[in-house]
Amino acid sequence: MEIEIGQTKRARRAYSFDDIAVVPSRRTRDPRVVSLAWSIDALKFEMPVLAAPMDSVMSPATAIAMGRLGGLGVLDLEGLWTRYEDAEAQLARIRDLEPAEATSVMQALYAEPIKPELISARLAEIRAAGVPVAGALSPQCTQEYHEVVLDAGVDLFVIRGTTVSAEHVSTDAEPLNLKKFIYELDVPVIVGGAASYTAALHLMRTGAAGVLVGFGGGAASTTRLSLGIHAPMATAISDVAAARRDYLDESGGRYVHVIADGGLGTSGDIVKAIAMGADAVMLGSALARATDAPGGGWHWGAEAHHPELPRGHRVHVGQLAPLEQVLFGPSSRADGQVNLMGALRRSMATTGYSDVKEFQRVEVVIAPYQSH
């Protein structure tokens, strides 16, 4: 249903996670029999969580820790770890910055060129630990560095930007041909963000194994303030899940995974993302709160240090518990920020569902929530 904004413009009502709630059914389950397992291509994981490729969230060490905990850590291959041998020193510098100087200093730090040999070294470090290896590049850098990444050896490749289009138009340079690029790779590729049915369907037709859903909704993003663009996540996930359903029919049975990416600050948000149709979630700020996260209580994304138009901030998210405890508890907090997987498991059990795929069918209602 469209709403009239004015005589020349109508708009569809869209919903955020805070606007909806899941509803228990006639059946409940023991949380111990609920499975959080998730798989994409030949990769199998114990939980439907990817750690976002952000320097405040993922280092080689935390990517290894995520892998050992049953998830997937995605390393930002355009971050400090591939620009500096002593990335820890640069992270410490960012943590100590005064708010007024944070953006300009970060712009200078991230102007250091990416070094292909560091891409190889960081990915090799993760592989040596025996966990799945995943790295992310923006569409702009994918053509330049993808061969280095593939030579280093990854199990999964992520092409991640504020938004990624299958039909990018440029007069200055040859745009990345996603369909040709993905066809020539021999590893699954996840692309995004996308926030609409049409954009997601086009990305699925490129051969992507997964589509990231989200645009400007992260804790460190100011995209809505800077560009006036925002996609409420509950509606965006449902729309992309509809594209997945239709592409499944169109392709004769090829399933593309929907991965929520943005606005997932609490365990309740994770629950609602899967309820709306996500197969997995990509977490940023929720994991940046871990005491062993590289950001040391601070969180930022690539938008925060864009050289021409920053669309994000370095934000303080605090430190709550070690990564394992943030994911699996126990928790002494009642705000949904610690024991994220325990909360997901309990929500699924309370509503009567035994696995993530089943939980996508849970009933939801519109129930706007306002904290006091």
Side-chain angles (χ1 to χ4, degrees):
M1 182 179 69
E2 289 190 335
I3 300 169
E4 183 178 299
I5 298 173
Q7 293 188 32
T8 63
K9 187 69 69 172
R10 300 179 67 84
R12 183 171 61 119
R13 177 72 166 92
Y15 297 93
S16 69
F17 292 138
D18 283 345
D19 294 321
I20 66 166
V22 300
V23 179
S25 67
R26 62 181 177 83
R27 179 187 294 113
T28 58
R29 294 182 185 274
D30 185 333
R32 292 172 296 183
V33 303
V34 170
S35 171
L36 301 183
W38 175 66
S39 63
I40 180 169
D41 203 64
L43 300 171
K44 301 183 186 303
F45 302 97
E46 294 302 312
M47 58 177 166
V49 175
L50 296 83
M54 307 169 85
D55 280 340
S56 55
V57 179
M58 281 291 101
S59 65
T62 49
I64 292 168
M66 273 296 295
R68 289 174 175 167
L69 290 170
L72 179 66
V74 183
L75 190 68
D76 180 8
L77 302 180
E78 299 172 46
L80 297 173
W81 292 95
T82 60
R83 297 175 190 266
Y84 297 92
E85 287 277 2
D86 59 342
E88 289 282 8
Q90 311 310 319
L91 286 163
R93 185 177 177 188
I94 290 175
R95 292 194 293 264
D96 293 339
L97 290 172
E98 293 295 326
E101 63 178 352
T103 299
S104 60
V105 173
M106 289 171 67
Q107 285 176 318
L109 289 175
Y110 282 91
E112 178 74 14
I114 297 168
K115 299 173 178 60
E117 64 273 17
L118 286 179
I119 292 178
S120 301
R122 304 311 187 193
L123 293 175
E125 181 180 346
I126 299 171
R127 175 150 321 270
V131 300
V133 183
L137 290 170
S138 65
Q140 296 87 343
C141 287
T142 293
Q143 292 195 102
E144 184 174 357
Y145 296 109
H146 76 273
E147 290 185 0
V148 178
V149 175
L150 294 177
D151 288 344
V154 290
D155 299 302
L156 187 144
F157 185 52
V158 178
I159 302 174
R160 185 179 190 254
T162 303
T163 186
V164 175
S165 166
E167 299 181 8
H168 180 67
V169 177
S170 174
T171 58
D172 298 326
E174 182 69 23
L176 176 66
N177 185 327
L178 270 176
K179 188 169 187 176
K180 179 176 182 293
F181 176 80
I182 291 173
Y183 178 78
E184 292 174 351
L185 296 182
D186 60 355
V187 298
V189 178
I190 293 174
V191 297
S196 70
Y197 172 96
T198 301
L201 185 60
H202 286 184
L203 289 177
M204 292 172 185
R205 288 170 176 165
T206 67
V211 172
L212 297 170
V213 183
F215 193 113
S221 173
T222 60
T223 299
R224 185 171 185 172
L225 294 176
S226 300
L227 303 183
I229 301 173
H230 176 63
M233 284 295 287
T235 296
I237 294 169
S238 180
D239 287 347
V240 175
R244 176 187 60 200
R245 174 201 62 207
D246 292 349
Y247 180 70
L248 187 70
D249 291 338
E250 174 188 305
S251 64
R254 184 172 181 272
Y255 189 90
V256 179
H257 296 266
V258 173
I259 302 164
D261 180 17
L264 297 153
T266 67
S267 54
D269 295 330
I270 297 171
V271 167
K272 295 174 188 179
I274 295 175
M276 294 307 297
D279 296 291
V281 295
M282 178 172 274
L283 300 182
S285 62
L287 301 184
R289 301 186 188 113
T291 55
D292 40 352
W298 293 91
H299 180 51
W300 64 92
E303 299 88 357
H305 49 76
H306 190 281
E308 298 171 0
L309 183 63
R311 302 182 299 281
H313 294 303
R314 182 203 62 163
V315 296
H316 190 257
V317 295
Q319 293 180 296
L320 302 181
L323 179 62
E324 182 173 5
Q325 192 174 338
V326 167
L327 287 167
F328 298 109
S331 175
S332 59
R333 305 175 62 92
D335 56 7
Q337 295 185 23
V338 178
N339 198 2
L340 304 176
M341 294 300 98
L344 174 59
R345 188 184 300 275
R346 184 164 294 275
S347 184
M348 291 168 61
T350 300
T351 52
Y353 294 89
S354 61
D355 61 45
V356 170
K357 186 60 62 182
E358 282 189 356
F359 191 57
Q360 293 172 347
R361 302 198 301 264
V362 70
E363 181 183 352
V364 299
V365 295
I366 299 170
Y369 172 79
Q370 296 184 2
S371 59
H372 297 285

